[in-house]
Amino acid sequence: MSAAQDPRSALRAIAIFDAAMGLAALAGLIAVLDLLHHDVRALAMSLIGRFGLDPESHYPSLLLHYADVLPDTNVSMLVLLFCAFIALRFVEATGLWLGKVWGEYVGALSGGVYIPFELVHWVREPTWISAFVVLLNVLIVSYLTHALWQRMQLKAAAQ
């Protein structure tokens, strides 16, 4: 059986992707916590100036908006949400890597939760990136759902 036909290869690829998302979220959390000790607006203005961007254009103004609200953020809630997301990604990655059924369930359910929000974002701001995110998540959730369905069919046939 080739690597493309091996279901464990696909599950492990999804596991690596989920672990990478967890690591990216961890890095993001560390960066946000570090930013709390600095003048975030001044850093954002410096970054915008360094790249010669117009602070009134969409993305730079969005950056400035979040630089303004970050100091007033409930840090405890922010850390709790980040930690929950990171833990979910690592639990899912572990389950998929080990080929556990519960990993497939966690992956299908957690990925499925994001699809409506990703679709709304894509409809409101249609970009290639948002289309890619929706497509990738739909493919992953579809694959995991199909794997679970096949497992149930095999179990029912064996009884």
Side-chain angles (χ1 to χ4, degrees):
M1 181 180 302
S2 72
Q5 295 171 330
D6 182 12
R8 289 197 61 150
S9 295
L11 291 177
R12 286 193 167 181
I14 296 169
I16 290 169
F17 177 73
D18 280 323
M21 285 186 5
L23 288 172
L26 180 60
L29 175 60
I30 291 167
V32 167
L33 291 175
D34 184 52
L35 284 175
L36 290 173
H37 304 291
H38 300 285
D39 182 355
V40 181
R41 183 167 182 78
L43 289 171
M45 286 300 292
S46 173
L47 184 65
I48 290 168
R50 178 164 298 173
F51 289 104
L53 301 174
D54 176 13
E56 299 296 320
S57 63
H58 179 69
Y59 291 110
S61 66
L62 196 61
L63 178 64
L64 289 171
H65 166 73
Y66 285 112
D68 289 338
V69 299
L70 182 63
D72 298 326
T73 301
N74 180 340
V75 176
S76 298
M77 183 59 71
L78 183 70
V79 169
L80 180 67
L81 290 172
F82 262 95
C83 287
F85 179 82
I86 293 164
L88 180 63
R89 294 296 115 210
F90 287 144
V91 165
E92 179 183 341
T94 301
L96 291 173
W97 187 266
L98 298 174
K100 301 293 185 182
V101 177
W102 58 263
E104 293 174 15
Y105 275 107
V106 170
L109 292 172
S110 70
V113 166
Y114 296 116
I115 292 174
F117 299 104
E118 292 167 348
L119 283 170
V120 167
H121 181 268
W122 180 47
V123 167
R124 289 186 180 163
E125 294 183 41
T127 64
W128 288 107
I129 292 173
S130 58
F132 176 73
V133 168
V134 170
L135 179 63
L136 181 63
N137 198 16
V138 166
L139 287 172
I140 289 171
V141 170
S142 297
Y143 180 83
L144 294 174
T145 304
H146 181 70
L148 288 166
W149 182 78
Q150 280 185 322
R151 190 183 305 272
M152 288 186 341
Q153 294 298 317
L154 288 172
K155 187 176 179 181
Q159 292 178 350

